[in-house]
Amino acid sequence: MKKKKILALLLAGSVAATVFAATGCGDPNTGGDKDNSTPLAADKKIYVVGDSTVCSFSDSYYLPRYGYGTQLYNYFNVQENQVNNLALSGRSSWSFTYETNYTTLKSSIGAGDYLIIGFGHNDQKDDIYTNPNLTTDSSEQIDGVINKQPKTHYASFKRSLYENYIKVAEDAGATAILCTPIVRLNDKNDYSGNSGHIRATSDGGKNPGGDWAKAIRELGEEKNVDVVDLTELTKNDYIAKGYTEAAKYHAATGAKWTDDTKTAKEATGTDGTHTNMYGAKMNAYYIANALKSSSNPISKNIKDNIVKPTYENDYNAGINSDYEIVDYKPFDPTTSGTSMLGALQAENWYATAFGSMGAAMSTETGSVTQNETSDGSLSFTVEEKLEKLKIASGEEGIVCAFTQLASNATFKISADVTINDYTAHAQTGFGIMLRDDIYIDKRDSSILSNYAAAGVYGLSTAANILYTRENGALKPVNKAQTLDTEKTHTLSIERSGKTVTVTFDGMSQQYPDFDVVVKDSEYMYICLYTSRGTAVTFNNVNLQITGTSEA
């Protein structure tokens, strides 16, 4: 059987790649407007699966995140709704199979459809790891974790891609196309290691490393499936451009004024993993351009004279026109001042109250007390006294003890919580939250920042247990639950990579790729908080910094 080629565009002036170049994969930037390509049949679809470099987002960033699956329609002769982008942030080729979107893929894909497969970034993470060094038919098994539940699965990355995606497509009469992962932006312009998905160990160190892009290339040749080598394409492009120019492909959490006239903005908080619209469009172009001159049947459905995106033509389209520069400076314990609630003795822990207060901030707003313990463990009692600071859909205010962490830190914090007083009100609550920003004694009803809470709000007979606020929207997980106010509750938040897991007693929720760098790109904050007349004691507060995330 004739083997498929690895499809890669060799950029002009770049070092020759150690992959096959598809014949005729030039750079057609010129040509007429007439399009003689064949439209994809109306009853056919291009399905797309993968991770956060592929999926869609809903961001409030200055340069929001876009995966390349959102931009494929620009280059294929299709209606936009014929590209069914099922990709999800934070998933590996194995963990994606537990998602509803995977069920949708298996039940929907049919003869004449296409499946573009873009995994590799998260297959390097311990809990959802797959091994790139094993063969496609390897029977070796490994323990993983899905929603904090242990799961055993085949360890092989190649087997995962083949059985879960390629075989699913081919059994349905569809055509599978593999993509290697895009590189991660590297400020030293070095893509020979982790940034190029070549690792000595897994992300976390519990499993072997390897070369995930190489494994995909080998699988494509073995199973006669076309491979678009995005790792090689993006690496060559990034090296040729250099870090500053390559960064323009990437999402940016914020912006600053370029000068005192406040007429022009400059991106800040570059996200080295995720692309903006311009970067996503470039990666979609690479896919289309590589396939256009291939023998893959989809080549006839790619538009004629496709044009490579440029910074001048495509960058500005990805800017969030609604983004407003916020007058916010990260908390600095040496200059930010001490709260009216007083100072705490515990190192790197502070007190504050902020948000929608209903009255001016004063010592009567609430209290944060550090308790003495016989074993030296941390204990805080936090109380909101005015019954004014609330947790509501359109406004929010809290009293809290907090600590500041670097935005790329991974950690676990846990505490045992005893309820001293719980007010009968739908806007009362308490818990531990991981949030984007912090303020000292600031009265401002517009503060609706991103956070994930191992906490509760609402009546004790109709409590919302575990919730987030994201892009301003309050999103409870377990609604109208009964809260046992006589019980000591165990709360925890864990961040591994960019996945945040919140736990309240036996209830747990994972948020892959949770965003806590919109307003403060340097730091994030852990808060032990209360609202609206609630007083609780956080005992056995245990914070462990476990490392840093590459994401």
Side-chain angles (χ1 to χ4, degrees), residues 40-63:
L40 184 67
D43 61 339
K44 306 303 177 188
K45 288 184 179 294
I46 300 173
Y47 289 89
V48 187
V49 294
D51 51 41
S52 59
T53 62
V54 185
C55 75
S56 62
F57 288 91
S58 178
D59 280 344
S60 56
Y61 287 7
Y62 173 66
L63 281 168

PDB file of all heavy atoms in Angstrom, residues 40-63:
ATOM      1  N   LEU A  40     -17.981  21.569  -0.863  1.00  0.00           N
ATOM      2  CA  LEU A  40     -18.280  20.350  -0.129  1.00  0.00           C
ATOM      3  C   LEU A  40     -19.775  20.100  -0.205  1.00  0.00           C
ATOM      4  O   LEU A  40     -20.588  21.018  -0.024  1.00  0.00           O
ATOM      5  CB  LEU A  40     -17.849  20.496   1.336  1.00  0.00           C
ATOM      6  CG  LEU A  40     -18.010  19.260   2.215  1.00  0.00           C
ATOM      7  CD1 LEU A  40     -17.058  18.153   1.760  1.00  0.00           C
ATOM      8  CD2 LEU A  40     -17.759  19.602   3.674  1.00  0.00           C
ATOM      9  N   ALA A  41     -20.154  18.864  -0.530  1.00  0.00           N
ATOM     10  CA  ALA A  41     -21.576  18.535  -0.646  1.00  0.00           C
ATOM     11  C   ALA A  41     -22.339  19.004   0.582  1.00  0.00           C
ATOM     12  O   ALA A  41     -21.853  18.916   1.706  1.00  0.00           O
ATOM     13  CB  ALA A  41     -21.750  17.037  -0.845  1.00  0.00           C
ATOM     14  N   ALA A  42     -23.541  19.502   0.357  1.00  0.00           N
ATOM     15  CA  ALA A  42     -24.309  20.145   1.426  1.00  0.00           C
ATOM     16  C   ALA A  42     -24.582  19.232   2.610  1.00  0.00           C
ATOM     17  O   ALA A  42     -24.760  19.693   3.739  1.00  0.00           O
ATOM     18  CB  ALA A  42     -25.627  20.686   0.867  1.00  0.00           C
ATOM     19  N   ASP A  43     -24.611  17.918   2.366  1.00  0.00           N
ATOM     20  CA  ASP A  43     -24.908  16.979   3.450  1.00  0.00           C
ATOM     21  C   ASP A  43     -23.637  16.415   4.089  1.00  0.00           C
ATOM     22  O   ASP A  43     -23.715  15.485   4.894  1.00  0.00           O
ATOM     23  CB  ASP A  43     -25.784  15.836   2.944  1.00  0.00           C
ATOM     24  CG  ASP A  43     -25.104  15.020   1.845  1.00  0.00           C
ATOM     25  OD1 ASP A  43     -24.169  15.538   1.202  1.00  0.00           O
ATOM     26  OD2 ASP A  43     -25.522  13.865   1.628  1.00  0.00           O
ATOM     27  N   LYS A  44     -22.480  16.982   3.759  1.00  0.00           N
ATOM     28  CA  LYS A  44     -21.222  16.506   4.317  1.00  0.00           C
ATOM     29  C   LYS A  44     -20.628  17.552   5.260  1.00  0.00           C
ATOM     30  O   LYS A  44     -20.923  18.738   5.166  1.00  0.00           O
ATOM     31  CB  LYS A  44     -20.209  16.175   3.212  1.00  0.00           C
ATOM     32  CG  LYS A  44     -20.734  15.200   2.170  1.00  0.00           C
ATOM     33  CD  LYS A  44     -21.190  13.891   2.796  1.00  0.00           C
ATOM     34  CE  LYS A  44     -21.788  12.954   1.750  1.00  0.00           C
ATOM     35  NZ  LYS A  44     -22.406  11.761   2.367  1.00  0.00           N
ATOM     36  N   LYS A  45     -19.784  17.079   6.172  1.00  0.00           N
ATOM     37  CA  LYS A  45     -19.181  17.967   7.158  1.00  0.00           C
ATOM     38  C   LYS A  45     -17.692  17.680   7.331  1.00  0.00           C
ATOM     39  O   LYS A  45     -17.224  16.575   7.055  1.00  0.00           O
ATOM     40  CB  LYS A  45     -19.875  17.824   8.519  1.00  0.00           C
ATOM     41  CG  LYS A  45     -21.280  18.408   8.587  1.00  0.00           C
ATOM     42  CD  LYS A  45     -21.853  18.324   9.992  1.00  0.00           C
ATOM     43  CE  LYS A  45     -23.251  18.914  10.080  1.00  0.00           C
ATOM     44  NZ  LYS A  45     -23.260  20.370   9.849  1.00  0.00           N
ATOM     45  N   ILE A  46     -16.991  18.709   7.802  1.00  0.00           N
ATOM     46  CA  ILE A  46     -15.613  18.552   8.288  1.00  0.00           C
ATOM     47  C   ILE A  46     -15.691  18.595   9.810  1.00  0.00           C
ATOM     48  O   ILE A  46     -16.008  19.637  10.396  1.00  0.00           O
ATOM     49  CB  ILE A  46     -14.697  19.676   7.771  1.00  0.00           C
ATOM     50  CG1 ILE A  46     -14.648  19.675   6.237  1.00  0.00           C
ATOM     51  CG2 ILE A  46     -13.298  19.519   8.350  1.00  0.00           C
ATOM     52  CD1 ILE A  46     -13.901  20.874   5.658  1.00  0.00           C
ATOM     53  N   TYR A  47     -15.448  17.465  10.448  1.00  0.00           N
ATOM     54  CA  TYR A  47     -15.426  17.406  11.912  1.00  0.00           C
ATOM     55  C   TYR A  47     -14.001  17.712  12.382  1.00  0.00           C
ATOM     56  O   TYR A  47     -13.026  17.317  11.741  1.00  0.00           O
ATOM     57  CB  TYR A  47     -15.857  16.038  12.411  1.00  0.00           C
ATOM     58  CG  TYR A  47     -17.331  15.779  12.215  1.00  0.00           C
ATOM     59  CD1 TYR A  47     -17.810  15.210  11.032  1.00  0.00           C
ATOM     60  CD2 TYR A  47     -18.252  16.110  13.203  1.00  0.00           C
ATOM     61  CE1 TYR A  47     -19.161  14.985  10.835  1.00  0.00           C
ATOM     62  CE2 TYR A  47     -19.607  15.887  13.021  1.00  0.00           C
ATOM     63  CZ  TYR A  47     -20.050  15.316  11.839  1.00  0.00           C
ATOM     64  OH  TYR A  47     -21.397  15.097  11.647  1.00  0.00           O
ATOM     65  N   VAL A  48     -13.908  18.405  13.504  1.00  0.00           N
ATOM     66  CA  VAL A  48     -12.610  18.773  14.056  1.00  0.00           C
ATOM     67  C   VAL A  48     -12.595  18.414  15.539  1.00  0.00           C
ATOM     68  O   VAL A  48     -13.516  18.772  16.281  1.00  0.00           O
ATOM     69  CB  VAL A  48     -12.330  20.282  13.893  1.00  0.00           C
ATOM     70  CG1 VAL A  48     -10.896  20.608  14.315  1.00  0.00           C
ATOM     71  CG2 VAL A  48     -12.581  20.736  12.462  1.00  0.00           C
ATOM     72  N   VAL A  49     -11.576  17.674  15.966  1.00  0.00           N
ATOM     73  CA  VAL A  49     -11.399  17.351  17.385  1.00  0.00           C
ATOM     74  C   VAL A  49      -9.998  17.779  17.805  1.00  0.00           C
ATOM     75  O   VAL A  49      -9.085  17.854  16.987  1.00  0.00           O
ATOM     76  CB  VAL A  49     -11.611  15.845  17.675  1.00  0.00           C
ATOM     77  CG1 VAL A  49     -13.051  15.442  17.428  1.00  0.00           C
ATOM     78  CG2 VAL A  49     -10.653  14.982  16.851  1.00  0.00           C
ATOM     79  N   GLY A  50      -9.834  18.055  19.082  1.00  0.00           N
ATOM     80  CA  GLY A  50      -8.538  18.470  19.569  1.00  0.00           C
ATOM     81  C   GLY A  50      -8.647  19.202  20.888  1.00  0.00           C
ATOM     82  O   GLY A  50      -9.643  19.064  21.610  1.00  0.00           O
ATOM     83  N   ASP A  51      -7.641  20.007  21.168  1.00  0.00           N
ATOM     84  CA  ASP A  51      -7.523  20.670  22.461  1.00  0.00           C
ATOM     85  C   ASP A  51      -7.721  22.175  22.315  1.00  0.00           C
ATOM     86  O   ASP A  51      -8.346  22.640  21.365  1.00  0.00           O
ATOM     87  CB  ASP A  51      -6.168  20.332  23.087  1.00  0.00           C
ATOM     88  CG  ASP A  51      -5.000  20.589  22.123  1.00  0.00           C
ATOM     89  OD1 ASP A  51      -5.018  21.614  21.416  1.00  0.00           O
ATOM     90  OD2 ASP A  51      -4.076  19.748  22.062  1.00  0.00           O
ATOM     91  N   SER A  52      -7.153  22.948  23.250  1.00  0.00           N
ATOM     92  CA  SER A  52      -7.393  24.393  23.275  1.00  0.00           C
ATOM     93  C   SER A  52      -6.751  25.128  22.113  1.00  0.00           C
ATOM     94  O   SER A  52      -7.125  26.268  21.825  1.00  0.00           O
ATOM     95  CB  SER A  52      -6.878  24.978  24.589  1.00  0.00           C
ATOM     96  OG  SER A  52      -5.495  24.724  24.746  1.00  0.00           O
ATOM     97  N   THR A  53      -5.780  24.536  21.433  1.00  0.00           N
ATOM     98  CA  THR A  53      -5.191  25.177  20.263  1.00  0.00           C
ATOM     99  C   THR A  53      -6.073  25.000  19.029  1.00  0.00           C
ATOM    100  O   THR A  53      -5.774  25.551  17.972  1.00  0.00           O
ATOM    101  CB  THR A  53      -3.799  24.605  19.974  1.00  0.00           C
ATOM    102  OG1 THR A  53      -3.898  23.214  19.687  1.00  0.00           O
ATOM    103  CG2 THR A  53      -2.878  24.802  21.175  1.00  0.00           C
ATOM    104  N   VAL A  54      -7.159  24.249  19.203  1.00  0.00           N
ATOM    105  CA  VAL A  54      -8.076  23.945  18.104  1.00  0.00           C
ATOM    106  C   VAL A  54      -9.474  24.516  18.360  1.00  0.00           C
ATOM    107  O   VAL A  54     -10.159  24.935  17.445  1.00  0.00           O
ATOM    108  CB  VAL A  54      -8.190  22.419  17.905  1.00  0.00           C
ATOM    109  CG1 VAL A  54      -9.044  22.082  16.679  1.00  0.00           C
ATOM    110  CG2 VAL A  54      -6.820  21.761  17.794  1.00  0.00           C
ATOM    111  N   CYS A  55      -9.891  24.584  19.624  1.00  0.00           N
ATOM    112  CA  CYS A  55     -11.295  24.837  19.967  1.00  0.00           C
ATOM    113  C   CYS A  55     -11.651  26.319  19.923  1.00  0.00           C
ATOM    114  O   CYS A  55     -10.812  27.182  19.706  1.00  0.00           O
ATOM    115  CB  CYS A  55     -11.615  24.254  21.341  1.00  0.00           C
ATOM    116  SG  CYS A  55     -10.949  25.204  22.724  1.00  0.00           S
ATOM    117  N   SER A  56     -12.923  26.596  20.168  1.00  0.00           N
ATOM    118  CA  SER A  56     -13.413  27.973  20.264  1.00  0.00           C
ATOM    119  C   SER A  56     -13.435  28.406  21.726  1.00  0.00           C
ATOM    120  O   SER A  56     -13.476  27.586  22.633  1.00  0.00           O
ATOM    121  CB  SER A  56     -14.811  28.087  19.663  1.00  0.00           C
ATOM    122  OG  SER A  56     -15.721  27.271  20.372  1.00  0.00           O
ATOM    123  N   PHE A  57     -13.408  29.720  21.945  1.00  0.00           N
ATOM    124  CA  PHE A  57     -13.445  30.304  23.272  1.00  0.00           C
ATOM    125  C   PHE A  57     -14.445  31.453  23.297  1.00  0.00           C
ATOM    126  O   PHE A  57     -14.887  31.944  22.247  1.00  0.00           O
ATOM    127  CB  PHE A  57     -12.070  30.858  23.673  1.00  0.00           C
ATOM    128  CG  PHE A  57     -11.034  29.814  23.973  1.00  0.00           C
ATOM    129  CD1 PHE A  57     -10.196  29.334  22.973  1.00  0.00           C
ATOM    130  CD2 PHE A  57     -10.894  29.314  25.254  1.00  0.00           C
ATOM    131  CE1 PHE A  57      -9.236  28.376  23.255  1.00  0.00           C
ATOM    132  CE2 PHE A  57      -9.937  28.354  25.549  1.00  0.00           C
ATOM    133  CZ  PHE A  57      -9.104  27.885  24.548  1.00  0.00           C
ATOM    134  N   SER A  58     -14.757  31.910  24.497  1.00  0.00           N
ATOM    135  CA  SER A  58     -15.533  33.135  24.680  1.00  0.00           C
ATOM    136  C   SER A  58     -14.774  33.966  25.700  1.00  0.00           C
ATOM    137  O   SER A  58     -14.979  33.843  26.908  1.00  0.00           O
ATOM    138  CB  SER A  58     -16.947  32.814  25.172  1.00  0.00           C
ATOM    139  OG  SER A  58     -17.680  33.996  25.388  1.00  0.00           O
ATOM    140  N   ASP A  59     -13.869  34.813  25.217  1.00  0.00           N
ATOM    141  CA  ASP A  59     -12.934  35.530  26.071  1.00  0.00           C
ATOM    142  C   ASP A  59     -13.261  37.010  26.183  1.00  0.00           C
ATOM    143  O   ASP A  59     -13.847  37.602  25.263  1.00  0.00           O
ATOM    144  CB  ASP A  59     -11.516  35.439  25.488  1.00  0.00           C
ATOM    145  CG  ASP A  59     -10.841  34.123  25.808  1.00  0.00           C
ATOM    146  OD1 ASP A  59     -11.321  33.415  26.703  1.00  0.00           O
ATOM    147  OD2 ASP A  59      -9.843  33.807  25.145  1.00  0.00           O
ATOM    148  N   SER A  60     -12.802  37.600  27.281  1.00  0.00           N
ATOM    149  CA  SER A  60     -12.832  39.059  27.413  1.00  0.00           C
ATOM    150  C   SER A  60     -11.423  39.631  27.280  1.00  0.00           C
ATOM    151  O   SER A  60     -11.176  40.777  27.644  1.00  0.00           O
ATOM    152  CB  SER A  60     -13.436  39.450  28.765  1.00  0.00           C
ATOM    153  OG  SER A  60     -12.736  38.838  29.821  1.00  0.00           O
ATOM    154  N   TYR A  61     -10.486  38.829  26.766  1.00  0.00           N
ATOM    155  CA  TYR A  61      -9.110  39.280  26.542  1.00  0.00           C
ATOM    156  C   TYR A  61      -9.084  40.468  25.558  1.00  0.00           C
ATOM    157  O   TYR A  61     -10.000  40.664  24.752  1.00  0.00           O
ATOM    158  CB  TYR A  61      -8.286  38.173  25.892  1.00  0.00           C
ATOM    159  CG  TYR A  61      -7.887  37.003  26.757  1.00  0.00           C
ATOM    160  CD1 TYR A  61      -8.346  36.834  28.046  1.00  0.00           C
ATOM    161  CD2 TYR A  61      -7.025  36.038  26.241  1.00  0.00           C
ATOM    162  CE1 TYR A  61      -7.950  35.744  28.808  1.00  0.00           C
ATOM    163  CE2 TYR A  61      -6.621  34.952  26.996  1.00  0.00           C
ATOM    164  CZ  TYR A  61      -7.092  34.804  28.277  1.00  0.00           C
ATOM    165  OH  TYR A  61      -6.697  33.726  29.003  1.00  0.00           O
ATOM    166  N   TYR A  62      -7.971  41.194  25.580  1.00  0.00           N
ATOM    167  CA  TYR A  62      -7.728  42.193  24.546  1.00  0.00           C
ATOM    168  C   TYR A  62      -7.542  41.502  23.195  1.00  0.00           C
ATOM    169  O   TYR A  62      -8.096  41.929  22.175  1.00  0.00           O
ATOM    170  CB  TYR A  62      -6.493  43.013  24.909  1.00  0.00           C
ATOM    171  CG  TYR A  62      -6.056  43.967  23.824  1.00  0.00           C
ATOM    172  CD1 TYR A  62      -6.853  45.044  23.464  1.00  0.00           C
ATOM    173  CD2 TYR A  62      -4.840  43.791  23.157  1.00  0.00           C
ATOM    174  CE1 TYR A  62      -6.449  45.928  22.457  1.00  0.00           C
ATOM    175  CE2 TYR A  62      -4.439  44.672  22.161  1.00  0.00           C
ATOM    176  CZ  TYR A  62      -5.243  45.729  21.819  1.00  0.00           C
ATOM    177  OH  TYR A  62      -4.854  46.597  20.823  1.00  0.00           O
ATOM    178  N   LEU A  63      -6.738  40.428  23.189  1.00  0.00           N
ATOM    179  CA  LEU A  63      -6.609  39.565  22.004  1.00  0.00           C
ATOM    180  C   LEU A  63      -7.132  38.188  22.407  1.00  0.00           C
ATOM    181  O   LEU A  63      -6.384  37.367  22.943  1.00  0.00           O
ATOM    182  CB  LEU A  63      -5.158  39.472  21.540  1.00  0.00           C
ATOM    183  CG  LEU A  63      -4.617  40.643  20.736  1.00  0.00           C
ATOM    184  CD1 LEU A  63      -3.106  40.545  20.590  1.00  0.00           C
ATOM    185  CD2 LEU A  63      -5.280  40.709  19.364  1.00  0.00           C
TER     186      LEU A  63
END
